[in-house]
């Protein structure tokens, strides 16, 4: 595979945007023409060598790709098992994988003649990625953000404003991410002629889960080739954290036809599963059942009468009550396995990776590292774990300082 148009043979979804029973398009009628337009535009763009070349050029010259794969020698040695390799999305411009998708969609919007972008953000990471892409391409950018999140994520609010975005405060519902998504969708419905909704993960109605995965698949294509070129073989296991699931799908996609490679997604176990304060949708099937949220069918954390349950995680990026539909399908197919790491385990992993490798991970990525800390000692020194460092930890220093104090 050389670019994002070359899909593995098991590629999904089907033409209705379904991943088995999951996915689809659960939106108001007024949005159906916009989704149809987006499907057509994306389908044309991904086949257009000029579009692909422009995207790849920006990934190289602006984002700084290809991000390297780093052998975490001291961590591997200390754990005394498998060799651990890190895919370094933390080295991207803006410090995480989100810029890959933001740039892809912003380029697509420009191609569709849409000069106005709306987005939602929780912690602000996707908002910053979107505001960055819009600044680069000269697009108007409006970011919806819950009032509660605005108060606790001031540095990212300031970044977005510096980048020229308008941050709109959302004071409905729980005043957090899910309410911000509702408002962004409302704006899109109203202004659909001029506006593209730039969704930040493998969520939402078709074609978003597929399109975001494709834009992020540069992670796994690069990593797979780097493993072959630099280490001479594929990893035994690929591990990534799962919020909505875009960095995980981004690294999993290129490996899905490699039967010998296990794919492991790590959700946020929060305080514990028993406490109910977590975002481990696949680990707590008492509260996470198949349902519809924000236009797609997947596992959703909800009460018996279908009210969305508020989730908890130390890392804002994993704190969402649903999960990308393709993950639900990969889990059903037993092609990927899902586990979780608690806040405490993630915090320990955050410190361990910092001390052993000189790499301060995002708290989201620290969940993947926490799983590796448990997994590596059960494996042989000649086996390999590849873990996706979805982002760097600068943004989390205040949280960590407070928690360790
Ligand atoms: C947003 C974010 C995540 C979670 O989102 P996914 O769509 O699950 O990848 C993970 N890591 C970092 C660094 C993030 O900013």
């Amino acid at each position: 595979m050389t670019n994002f148009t070359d899909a593995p043979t098991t590629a999904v979804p089907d033409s209705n945007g379904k991943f088995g029973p999951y996915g689809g398009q659960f939106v108001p009628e007024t949005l159906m023409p916009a989704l149809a337009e987006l499907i057509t535009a994306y389908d044309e763009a991904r086949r257009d060598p000029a579009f692909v070349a422009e995207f790849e050029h920006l990934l190289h010259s602006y984002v700084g790709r290809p991000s390297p794969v780093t052998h975490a020698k001291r961590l591997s040695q200390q754990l005394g098992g498998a060799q651990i390799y890190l895919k370094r999305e933390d080295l991207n411009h803006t410090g995480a994988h989100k810029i890959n998708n933001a740039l892809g969609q912003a380029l697509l919007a420009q191609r569709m003649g849409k000069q106005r972008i709306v987005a939602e953000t929780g912690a602000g990471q996707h908002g910053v990625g979107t505001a960055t892409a819009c600044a680069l391409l000269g697009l108007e950018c409006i970011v919806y953000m819950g009032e509660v999140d605005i108060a606790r994520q001031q540095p990212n609010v300031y970044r977005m404003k510096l980048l020229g975005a308008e941050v709109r405060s959302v004071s409905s519902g729980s005043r957090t991410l899910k309410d911000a998504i509702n408002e962004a969708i409302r704006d899109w419905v109203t202004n659909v002629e001029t506006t593209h909704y730039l969704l930040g993960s493998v969520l939402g109605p078709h074609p978003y889960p597929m399109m975001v995965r494709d834009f992020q698949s540069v992670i796994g294509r690069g990593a797979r080739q780097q493993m072959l070129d630099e280490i001479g073989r594929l990893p035994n296991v690929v591990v990534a954290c799962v919020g909505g699931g875009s960095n995980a799908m981004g690294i999993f996609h290129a490996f899905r036809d490699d039967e010998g490679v296990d794919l492991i997604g790590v959700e946020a176990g929060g305080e514990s599963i028993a406490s109910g304060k977590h975002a481990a949708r696949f680990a707590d099937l008492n509260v996470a059942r198949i349902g519809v949220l924000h236009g797609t069918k997947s596992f959703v954390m909800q009460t018996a009468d279908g009210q969305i349950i508020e989730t908890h995680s130390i890392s804002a990026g994993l704190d969402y009550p649903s999960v990308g539909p393709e993950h639900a399908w990969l889990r059903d197919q037993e092609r990927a396995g899902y586990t979780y790491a608690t806040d405490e385990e993630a915090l320990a992993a955050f410190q361990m990776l910092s001390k052993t490798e000189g790499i301060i991970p995002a708290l989201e990525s620290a969940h993947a590292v926490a799983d590796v800390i448990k997994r590596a000692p059960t494996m042989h020194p000649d086996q390999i774990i590849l873990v996706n460092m979805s982002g760097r930890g600068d943004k989390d220093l205040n949280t960590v300082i407070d928690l360790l104090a």
Side-chain angles (χ1 to χ4, degrees):
M1 288 191 294
T2 55
N3 68 49
F4 73 95
T5 63
D6 303 323
T9 53
T10 51
V12 280
D14 68 16
S15 56
N16 297 315
K18 303 282 283 198
F19 302 89
Y22 310 107
Q25 294 177 312
F26 296 84
V27 297
E29 230 175 308
T30 43
L31 272 185
M32 290 305 283
L35 291 177
E37 183 191 4
L38 185 58
I39 289 168
T40 305
Y42 175 60
D43 196 52
E44 286 170 8
R46 66 201 282 265
R47 289 164 205 280
D48 178 356
F51 178 84
V52 173
E54 189 176 7
F55 180 48
E56 288 183 347
H57 173 70
L58 287 180
L59 288 177
H60 177 68
S61 67
Y62 187 72
V63 176
R65 305 199 72 90
S67 62
V69 163
T70 303
H71 186 191
K73 273 193 198 144
R74 284 190 2 101
L75 181 66
S76 307
Q77 223 160 40
Q78 269 195 32
L79 294 172
Q83 299 307 309
I84 299 156
Y85 287 82
L86 313 172
K87 176 60 174 168
R88 302 293 307 282
E89 294 300 299
D90 58 312
L91 294 178
N92 291 343
H93 178 48
T94 69
H97 68 291
K98 288 206 171 72
I99 189 73
N100 303 323
N101 166 56
L103 266 182
Q105 283 194 52
L107 278 175
L108 183 63
Q110 201 175 44
R111 181 185 165 98
M112 294 169 77
K114 305 209 172 185
Q115 287 294 316
R116 185 174 177 273
I117 301 291
V118 293
E120 80 296 334
T121 199
Q125 292 306 109
H126 175 57
V128 169
T130 303
T132 302
C134 289
L136 178 71
L137 300 180
L139 301 171
E140 184 185 348
C141 180
I142 290 136
V143 181
Y144 288 91
M145 191 168 183
E147 217 169 46
V148 170
D149 291 331
I150 287 182
R152 61 186 177 190
Q153 306 290 344
Q154 274 301 319
N156 274 342
V157 174
Y158 195 60
R159 269 186 203 108
M160 286 184 268
K161 288 181 177 167
L162 268 177
L163 292 162
E166 180 192 337
V167 179
R168 288 196 187 159
S169 173
V170 176
S171 50
S172 54
S174 59
R175 297 172 293 148
T176 58
L177 177 61
K178 87 177 157 56
D179 313 289
I181 297 178
N182 290 338
E183 283 306 315
I185 292 175
R186 205 161 293 154
D187 182 313
W188 192 33
V189 173
T190 313
N191 301 295
V192 71
E193 294 289 312
T194 58
T195 301
H196 174 67
Y197 175 29
L198 206 160
L199 210 158
S201 191
V202 285
L203 297 163
H206 180 62
Y208 284 103
M210 172 184 77
M211 181 171 70
V212 175
R213 173 199 72 197
D214 291 352
F215 285 137
Q216 291 291 4
S217 67
V218 66
I219 303 172
R221 275 197 320 278
R224 189 177 183 281
Q225 199 58 50
Q226 285 162 324
M227 294 304 295
L228 291 174
D229 292 348
E230 296 168 25
I231 294 94
R233 47 174 288 212
L234 295 178
N236 301 84
V237 187
V238 176
V239 179
C241 65
V242 181
S246 69
N247 86 87
M249 279 317 308
I251 197 163
F252 288 177
H253 195 52
F255 292 98
R256 62 199 303 160
D257 291 340
D258 298 316
E259 281 173 21
V261 180
D262 289 341
L263 307 175
I264 303 291
V266 186
E267 299 184 283
E271 290 180 13
S272 71
I273 301 304
S275 73
K277 292 189 164 178
H278 63 78
R281 289 91 13 143
F282 292 139
D284 192 349
L285 299 180
N286 290 320
V287 294
R289 297 187 312 278
I290 296 175
V292 169
L293 183 64
H294 298 133
T296 192
K297 187 184 277 188
S298 184
F299 282 64
V300 180
M301 290 180 56
Q302 51 190 316
T303 61
D305 57 354
Q307 297 297 309
I308 304 304
I309 291 175
E310 216 167 308
T311 51
H312 166 86
S313 170
I314 190 178
S315 72
L318 303 185
D319 205 350
Y320 181 70
S322 186
V323 58
E326 192 163 11
H327 286 291
W329 188 80
L330 285 173
R331 179 177 171 277
D332 275 11
Q333 303 296 304
E334 298 182 8
R335 179 61 193 95
Y338 294 84
T339 179
Y340 62 88
T342 63
D343 288 351
E344 203 178 312
E345 290 167 336
L347 200 56
F350 181 95
Q351 295 172 85
M352 189 171 187
L353 189 71
S354 301
K355 289 206 176 91
T356 54
E357 298 295 337
I359 295 170
I360 302 175
L363 277 173
E364 290 84 2
S365 323
H367 285 71
V369 178
D371 177 75
V372 170
I373 290 172
K374 292 180 244 179
R375 187 176 303 276
T378 71
M379 295 170 64
H380 260 267
D382 61 358
Q383 291 186 302
I384 293 175
I385 302 176
L386 173 67
V387 48
N388 199 11
M389 285 289 98
S390 55
R392 57 179 174 244
D394 311 37
K395 68 184 178 59
D396 297 314
L397 291 187
N398 285 336
T399 307
V400 171
I401 288 166
D402 289 348
L403 284 167
L404 294 180

